[in-house]
Amino acid sequence: MMTTNKYAPLFLALLAVYSQFAIAEEPPAIIASSVDVSEEDYIGEVPAVLTVSRLSQSIADAPSAVTVIDRETIRAAGIADLPEIFRLVPGFYVAANAGFVHNTNHVVSYHGMATAYAGAMQVLINGRSVYSPLYGGVQWSELPIAIADIARIEITRGPNAASYGANSFFGVINIITLSPAEQSGASVSAMLGNGRHKAFARYADKVGDASYRITAGYRDDEGLDNRNDFKRTRLLNGQVDYRVDNKNNLEFEFGFASGQREEGGLQFDPYIFLPRTKGIENNFELIRWRHSISDNSDFSLQAFHSYDNSNDNVTSANLRPVVTDIFTPIIGPVAAAAAGASLLQDTVSINKDVTTERYDIEVQHTFTLSTTLRGVWGGSLRNDTVYAPHYLGSNKKDNFDLQRLFGHAEWRPFAAAVLNVGAMVEHNSFTGTDISPRASLNFKLNPNQTIRFGVSTAQRTPNYLENEFNQGVVIPRTAPNPPLLAQYFSDAHNLKPERIVSKEIAYLADFGQLTLDTRLYYDNIHDYIKSVVNSSFAVPGFIVVKNPRFFMNAGDVTINGFEAQAKWRMQDNTNLLLNYARVHISSDELQTAFNITKSMPRNTISALLTHRFNPQWDCSIAYYQTSAVAALGDGNDVGSAQRTDARVAYKFNAAHLKGEVSAVVENLFNEHYQEFADYNTLKRRARVNLRLDF
Amino acid sequence: MLLNQHKNNGLKRRLATLMLTLGIFMPILAQAYNSVTIVMSAPTPANLAFIDQFKTELANTKNNNLSVKVMELPETGRLVVAENSELVIALGTKALEEASKLKHSTPVMGVFIPHPTFNSVLVKSHRDRGNFSAIVLDQPFARQMTLIKIVLPELNKLGVLLGPISSQYGAKIKEKAEDSGYSIFEENIKQETDLMPKLKQLLDVSDALMAIPDPHIYTRETAQPIILTSYRYQKPIFGYSQSYVRAGALAAVYSSSKQLAQQAAEIAIKSQQAPSMLPPLQAPKYFSIMVNYQVGRSLNIPLMEESVIYKKMLEAEPTELEEYEPI
């Protein structure tokens, strides 16, 4: 575990400068009451508020199951890592520090096929897609975003390619940050916990018609016991909303993150990919123009660029004794010793650098044709480039292009019914052109209760890992001995997209104090992409010492189950959020993947109870329970797990000092349970947070 | 003059009504007017629509010989009208301020005037309420509450943000809310930086936000944060203008230029023979509503057709117009 931090003084200095800057601000203007009110204050034009969403719909009208996690829930859950919040979404499986390639990353997986590299979800931050082209998943801890800046998270449970495009296969996570116009002043916060530190500073203000926010942050985490999973992140992000006039808004966003991640583990690989620390760095820039064409029609144009780099150079252990040991049972001790001696060098060095870059431009047009018909349509162009010499077996940058057109209409044939239909047409460099249609009917039994019938389809384009990997390690030897080749992946480049057809019946109710969101679903996945070992792998001139895996389209997988979410306002100051999900996966495991039917806990329960004693004090208790699971992709059998988190917070609001101090105990009863795989043991961890607002 | 000096407005009104009813009213000092001069600071679409409709209303009414003149406020110098035989209709605050400097016997009626502004102009000009009146832009609170009741019958906790200007209405709002069965939660904004935190406190406890005009609270600049924050809390805003509804409020009751013109024309005709007896300050008599169905859907609020809501509102209207307390 790494404990030293050479950047801490620098960061503290930054914080100090920052807070001085904030304190030096002029005192807030006292409103003069002598100004006369003019008629303009009553009848003057007000700029339309152009929302972030494609087609803003209430949950009762939406074509799929949507869970909204608001700011207050995020605060009450007391999370330290963003992906932890998804434990409060029915059907999600979340696990800390899974996998043995991205040791520090969370698994966030919805309703099946949990893997360390879960790549079947679209993840957006303010409409910007952040999943990696390399393996389709998200490096959660590397996102340059502060939890405190998040306004809400909308999670679509189920495929929604028609609205959100590529990778919207199992679900969509849409993270929406606060508009800078909603924030003002400075805020600094710090967290001190077992093996964890965090410090954040934010400043928001207005200059004329522009509101802006800048957030800087630092966090580190030693990770779990017996895992090489320290992580450290520094981040900076900014957002500017500029109101050009009543009809036009320009928004700019940028973010930057850098840091270190530990990788490797002797229990997984004591020979080549040894424990080490890699550097990570990413940034993005985004510009969005929103234009109100009329009262009934809005247009937006968004363009962004993102860049992601991990700097990872590995030097193996001394391979001579390793080779000797491996060959001894096969060719006898004498020849094996000669094989060991034949290596050109003791070690091999591997350049595991990965650089990905994304350019994306998107237009959309939202319109209302009548009180019963409205819609959205648009299109986007994307270019991903990947430079990953070790994984792709080439020093060249590889290009992936994606174009799509999407449309979605909402029609109310009569007051109690909402019909949603939509489709996306996508063309990409790997699998050509596909279409993903969807349709749903929401029927209101009465103003409080809705029944929804839906069918949605999506395609999942294979990612680089599945389609393009050619990952091997060559161990050169002295002439005339042919070099040894350990091949990890050797993809066949011939995959079809995975297809999902999801059918559901949902019942939604809103009785004021109690809201319910329940659904039964039946999903069929066709052309499931699985990895298999190529045991006949051969390369002329090499001795293959490890047979690679490659990906192929295999049989069908069926996932069905039940999900429920209840929000109960027990009293004015007491709220309960309760989630339950039951998942059943069936498949022919010879055709698909071993353990696939166990790749999601059969039952998951989560609950969040919050109580406010008075304006100063509040507390919350979170409870998470999962039954046994055997995750795919680096996972293995783990038993059922229970975890209880407790949080207590005190808000203070004195004349010159406002803020909050809170304490969180994660895993209160110190259950030593395993998550994702038997190598991840979770224990009790506590932390205190302090936030000051100026 | 005797009557006008009377401190009791209620009595004055009753006497005036009595005399009008009996038909024995004779001009005492001021002469009856035979023309109307409409003064505006600029030919805005709202003002032009008003003038258009005002003329139409006069033309459609028999038994009046009123002629209409329209003038823009001179950029410099004083406003000049035929002060002894005219009713001056001042469109907007600036026009009213200028008109208030005319000879005190000239009857002046303001239109498109915020209620607080009328009061301050009245005080500054030392004019008399008898021939200095207005149709204010402020909708009666009871009418706004009727709209809320029709749109969201189950709601009972109304939040209001009051600023330096609107704080004077706090008591009145509470009184009207009591009549309508609402609990009012209010937050007073004393400095700009209070706005967002106080709005959040308010949204925590109330079911909806009822916007009361105040130039320090509801501005072009604050519209976005107020609407976004309310949306985040999933609480609707009831506004006071079409543009606020377009911007993201759920609904509003407002009066259009044409509706104000109709009311103004009625007054002009009725007071022709008694120019020093203009009716007291009036709330808009005719009104419209506007509903943002998009917002309703986003907040999962089922909304009736605008026409149905409007009909229900007309049924709920009291026969007497709200009259404002004098300062």
Side-chain angles (χ1 to χ4, degrees):
Chain A
M1 304 284 159
M2 283 180 70
T3 47
T4 53
N5 176 9
K6 60 181 173 171
Y7 294 96
L10 179 73
F11 189 76
L12 287 173
L14 176 73
L15 263 186
V17 169
Y18 214 78
S19 42
Q20 265 175 3
F21 174 47
I23 291 161
E25 276 291 292
E26 285 177 20
I30 305 291
I31 292 175
S33 63
S34 59
V35 181
D36 260 344
V37 194
S38 107
E39 62 273 21
E40 275 302 298
D41 296 316
Y42 284 61
I43 55 175
E45 280 299 310
V46 178
V49 177
L50 305 164
T51 51
V52 180
S53 51
R54 275 172 204 287
L55 182 66
S56 183
Q57 289 176 311
S58 80
I59 286 171
D61 290 345
S64 25
V66 179
T67 296
V68 178
I69 302 252
D70 60 15
R71 241 175 115 62
E72 198 44 42
T73 306
I74 296 173
R75 195 184 79 92
I79 54 161
D81 289 314
L82 175 60
E84 293 282 323
I85 200 67
F86 303 114
R87 294 183 197 271
L88 289 173
V89 183
F92 270 70
Y93 180 68
V94 176
N97 296 21
F100 34 81
V101 170
H102 301 129
N103 285 8
T104 53
N105 201 22
H106 270 72
V107 170
V108 176
S109 187
Y110 175 62
H111 101 192
M113 288 115 158
T115 99
Y117 313 100
M121 211 147 16
Q122 169 72 297
V123 180
L124 303 161
I125 300 178
N126 294 340
R128 176 175 58 90
S129 183
V130 295
Y131 72 84
S132 158
L134 191 68
Y135 72 103
V138 173
Q139 291 292 334
W140 292 98
S141 68
E142 296 176 20
L143 299 175
I145 184 171
I147 293 173
D149 289 333
I150 296 174
R152 65 180 192 282
I153 305 176
E154 296 176 353
I155 299 112
T156 303
R157 292 177 278 129
N160 196 355
S163 294
Y164 294 100
N167 230 36
S168 307
F169 194 72
F170 281 138
V172 181
I173 292 174
N174 196 6
I175 299 168
I176 296 151
T177 61
L178 286 170
S179 154
E182 286 181 89
Q183 298 172 296
S184 68
S187 177
V188 293
S189 65
M191 184 198 91
L192 188 64
N194 297 126
R196 275 176 177 158
H197 308 88
K198 265 194 194 189
F200 278 82
R202 182 212 79 204
Y203 185 75
D205 203 358
K206 231 188 303 183
V207 180
D209 284 332
S211 323
Y212 67 91
R213 175 187 68 232
I214 285 204
T215 300
Y218 169 86
R219 52 180 179 239
D220 66 39
D221 185 347
E222 285 183 13
L224 307 177
D225 289 354
N226 308 316
R227 287 276 274 147
N228 194 47
D229 59 353
F230 172 85
K231 62 184 177 219
R232 173 189 293 132
T233 314
R234 293 169 290 271
L235 65 90
L236 180 74
N237 69 52
Q239 204 170 331
V240 181
D241 276 18
Y242 172 56
R243 211 186 56 232
V244 181
D245 55 39
N246 287 342
K247 302 241 172 219
N248 295 286
N249 252 45
L250 279 180
E251 297 166 16
F252 306 90
E253 294 176 29
F254 73 89
F256 169 82
S258 72
Q260 285 79 37
R261 297 288 180 276
E262 281 186 342
E263 286 287 20
L266 291 176
Q267 71 267 50
F268 311 123
D269 181 354
Y271 310 127
I272 295 182
F273 298 111
L274 297 181
R276 65 200 181 274
T277 301
K278 69 175 184 185
I280 57 123
E281 188 180 56
N282 66 67
N283 63 66
F284 79 90
E285 307 78 33
L286 176 146
I287 180 166
R288 188 183 300 114
W289 171 42
R290 293 185 199 278
H291 173 62
S292 167
I293 300 168
S294 71
D295 280 359
N296 299 321
S297 168
D298 293 327
F299 168 83
S300 84
L301 171 69
Q302 169 186 291
F304 71 84
H305 161 252
S306 58
Y307 167 90
D308 194 285
N309 169 256
S310 78
N311 188 326
D312 189 8
N313 284 293
V314 199
T315 301
S316 71
N318 183 354
L319 294 175
R320 292 186 201 274
V322 178
V323 168
T324 305
D325 284 354
I326 292 171
F327 279 82
T328 300
I330 308 165
I331 53 175
V334 177
S342 71
L343 299 196
L344 208 56
Q345 293 159 331
D346 289 351
T347 60
V348 289
S349 289
I350 299 144
N351 172 11
K352 272 193 105 183
D353 286 359
V354 176
T355 303
T356 61
E357 218 167 347
R358 174 170 291 166
Y359 288 91
D360 187 292
I361 182 162
E362 180 184 286
V363 288
Q364 60 170 303
H365 175 215
T366 315
F367 58 90
T368 303
L369 282 180
S370 72
T371 52
T372 56
L373 184 64
R374 51 186 194 145
V376 57
W377 70 287
S380 75
L381 298 173
R382 176 182 296 175
N383 170 258
D384 286 338
T385 56
V386 173
Y387 167 76
H390 171 63
Y391 292 110
L392 302 185
S394 156
N395 276 317
K396 279 192 202 149
K397 276 188 184 173
D398 202 78
N399 268 285
F400 173 81
D401 288 297
L402 186 152
Q403 301 95 36
R404 76 195 165 100
L405 276 174
F406 60 89
H408 175 178
E410 179 205 84
W411 180 47
R412 288 162 191 267
F414 48 97
V418 181
L419 181 69
N420 282 288
V421 290
M424 177 192 70
V425 183
E426 178 185 305
H427 177 85
N428 69 69
S429 317
F430 286 171
T431 57
T433 305
D434 297 303
I435 179 162
S436 306
R438 68 165 312 141
S440 72
L441 176 69
N442 296 29
F443 188 77
K444 283 201 169 118
L445 302 173
N446 57 43
N448 302 326
Q449 297 177 77
T450 304
I451 288 192
R452 181 181 65 235
F453 304 91
V455 182
S456 184
T457 63
Q459 324 272 340
R460 188 177 71 79
T461 303
N463 50 50
Y464 270 89
L465 164 65
E466 292 161 337
N467 208 59
E468 299 294 312
F469 265 31
N470 177 17
Q471 180 193 359
V473 174
V474 174
I475 304 164
R477 298 201 294 164
T478 51
N481 302 300
L484 305 179
L485 175 64
Q487 187 74 19
Y488 292 79
F489 287 99
S490 175
D491 284 340
H493 318 290
N494 61 356
L495 291 176
K496 289 183 282 186
E498 229 170 58
R499 289 177 293 130
I500 188 169
V501 179
S502 177
K503 298 172 196 139
E504 60 154 11
I505 299 178
Y507 167 77
L508 309 166
D510 183 351
F511 301 113
Q513 305 289 83
L514 177 72
T515 62
L516 285 175
D517 174 347
T518 59
R519 72 177 192 122
L520 276 167
Y521 61 86
Y522 186 89
D523 293 357
N524 262 310
I525 295 162
H526 307 286
D527 294 325
Y528 172 75
I529 296 176
K530 71 162 180 177
S531 75
V532 285
V533 175
N534 179 356
S535 47
S536 60
F537 183 78
V539 180
F542 289 85
I543 295 175
V544 174
V545 293
K546 178 180 171 56
N547 280 324
R549 302 186 79 86
F550 71 101
F551 289 85
M552 60 180 281
N553 291 103
D556 292 358
V557 182
T558 302
I559 307 176
N560 55 44
F562 170 74
E563 284 169 4
Q565 176 164 67
K567 288 181 187 172
W568 183 20
R569 195 164 151 196
M570 303 165 82
Q571 286 167 3
D572 267 0
N573 296 314
T574 311
N575 290 288
L576 178 68
L577 170 67
L578 194 62
N579 301 302
Y580 171 72
R582 185 175 174 82
V583 181
H584 182 256
I585 303 174
S586 55
S587 168
D588 176 355
E589 290 203 344
L590 289 175
Q591 289 290 315
T592 55
F594 177 62
N595 267 352
I596 194 166
T597 58
K598 295 196 285 175
S599 64
M600 177 69 196
R602 180 62 56 92
N603 296 293
T604 53
I605 296 172
S606 64
L608 178 68
L609 178 68
T610 57
H611 178 71
R612 177 166 287 287
F613 299 98
N614 54 44
Q616 285 78 44
W617 287 96
D618 74 281
C619 72
S620 44
I621 293 174
Y623 176 77
Y624 308 102
Q625 183 187 317
T626 54
S627 56
V629 59
L632 308 173
D634 300 356
N636 55 36
D637 280 292
V638 297
S640 62
Q642 286 101 39
R643 172 177 138 190
T644 307
D645 295 357
R647 171 181 179 277
V648 58
Y650 173 73
K651 246 185 212 167
F652 46 93
N653 195 352
H656 295 290
L657 198 61
K658 287 178 203 161
E660 185 185 82
V661 57
S662 65
V664 180
V665 183
E666 197 177 283
N667 197 356
L668 185 64
F669 303 111
N670 203 17
E671 309 264 0
H672 286 205
Y673 68 91
Q674 274 75 42
E675 222 165 53
F676 186 76
D678 55 10
Y679 53 78
N680 277 329
T681 302
L682 280 288
K683 294 178 184 168
R684 179 161 58 209
R685 292 178 102 177
R687 51 186 176 268
V688 288
N689 302 282
L690 172 69
R691 193 192 77 232
L692 298 174
D693 301 328
F694 305 98
Chain B
M1 285 304 272
L2 184 78
L3 282 171
N4 292 340
Q5 280 162 356
H6 211 288
K7 293 283 179 265
N8 187 325
N9 276 301
L11 178 62
K12 183 180 76 182
R13 275 198 300 274
R14 276 198 294 278
L15 278 172
T17 318
L18 179 73
M19 286 187 284
L20 279 169
T21 322
L22 297 178
I24 57 161
F25 184 81
M26 293 291 286
I28 299 174
L29 282 172
Q31 293 175 323
Y33 51 80
N34 48 33
S35 70
V36 175
T37 298
I38 299 174
V39 183
M40 60 182 172
S41 54
T44 62
N47 287 345
L48 294 178
F50 176 93
I51 293 162
D52 230 37
Q53 186 66 22
F54 186 83
K55 288 178 176 166
T56 310
E57 292 287 334
L58 289 190
N60 292 346
T61 311
K62 286 171 189 165
N63 302 324
N64 84 78
N65 52 357
L66 289 173
S67 60
V68 179
K69 280 181 272 181
V70 177
M71 64 190 319
E72 272 187 57
L73 271 188
E75 290 203 358
T76 52
R78 287 197 49 176
L79 178 65
V80 180
V81 298
E83 294 188 271
N84 288 327
S85 56
E86 299 219 308
L87 168 67
V88 175
I89 294 182
L91 302 187
T93 307
K94 269 191 190 153
L96 186 72
E97 273 168 3
E98 285 309 307
S100 74
K101 296 171 191 162
L102 294 169
K103 224 160 84 178
H104 283 204
S105 59
T106 309
V108 172
M109 179 167 60
V111 180
F112 298 118
I113 308 295
H115 179 244
T117 306
F118 178 80
N119 283 337
S120 71
V121 174
L122 184 70
V123 169
K124 259 187 264 168
S125 66
H126 306 289
R127 292 272 317 215
D128 190 288
R129 282 174 173 273
N131 61 7
F132 191 74
S133 186
I135 303 168
V136 295
L137 279 167
D138 306 64
Q139 296 290 334
F141 298 126
R143 189 182 281 162
Q144 286 177 285
M145 290 176 197
T146 304
L147 172 70
I148 299 172
K149 183 134 284 179
I150 293 167
V151 171
L152 284 167
E154 282 160 22
L155 175 156
N156 52 38
K157 289 182 275 186
L158 280 187
V160 291
L161 287 173
L162 297 178
I165 302 282
S166 56
S167 59
Q168 56 182 301
Y169 303 116
K172 181 107 182 180
I173 293 167
K174 284 218 164 102
E175 181 197 317
K176 293 291 170 192
E178 216 160 276
D179 299 344
S180 312
Y182 284 121
S183 323
I184 292 287
F185 292 82
E186 66 170 61
E187 288 290 344
N188 280 283
I189 310 298
K190 295 200 173 63
Q191 51 190 34
E192 275 175 34
T193 49
D194 282 351
L195 180 60
M196 293 320 288
K198 295 227 165 171
L199 173 65
K200 288 171 190 167
Q201 283 174 27
L202 194 63
L203 292 168
D204 269 332
V205 293
S206 36
D207 302 330
L209 185 69
M210 181 167 96
I212 309 294
D214 188 299
H216 300 298
I217 298 182
Y218 298 101
T219 63
R220 284 185 43 160
E221 287 69 34
T222 61
Q224 191 192 16
I226 289 177
I227 291 167
L228 278 177
T229 306
S230 308
Y231 177 71
R232 204 150 54 66
Y233 278 76
Q234 296 278 294
K235 304 279 168 80
I237 301 174
F238 288 88
Y240 48 79
S241 69
Q242 279 174 292
S243 58
Y244 226 85
V245 173
R246 282 199 202 101
L250 180 66
V253 51
Y254 68 95
S255 298
S256 67
S257 294
K258 287 187 169 189
Q259 289 169 325
L260 293 170
Q262 188 184 352
Q263 188 176 0
E266 285 171 8
I267 294 171
I269 293 163
K270 200 169 163 189
S271 302
Q272 194 179 353
Q273 298 305 321
S276 53
M277 302 258 173
L278 286 179
L281 192 62
Q282 291 196 348
K285 182 174 169 187
Y286 307 104
F287 62 89
S288 306
I289 58 156
M290 184 170 175
V291 177
N292 191 327
Y293 289 92
Q294 193 113 337
V295 171
R297 280 175 200 166
S298 302
L299 299 175
N300 196 24
I301 297 171
L303 293 166
M304 289 176 276
E305 287 287 315
E306 251 174 32
S307 59
V308 177
I309 299 173
Y310 185 61
K311 210 172 141 231
K312 284 176 183 264
M313 286 199 65
L314 289 180
E315 285 163 11
E317 270 291 292
T319 41
E320 292 246 342
L321 277 184
E322 176 141 341
E323 288 169 6
Y324 288 95
E325 305 292 334
I327 285 177

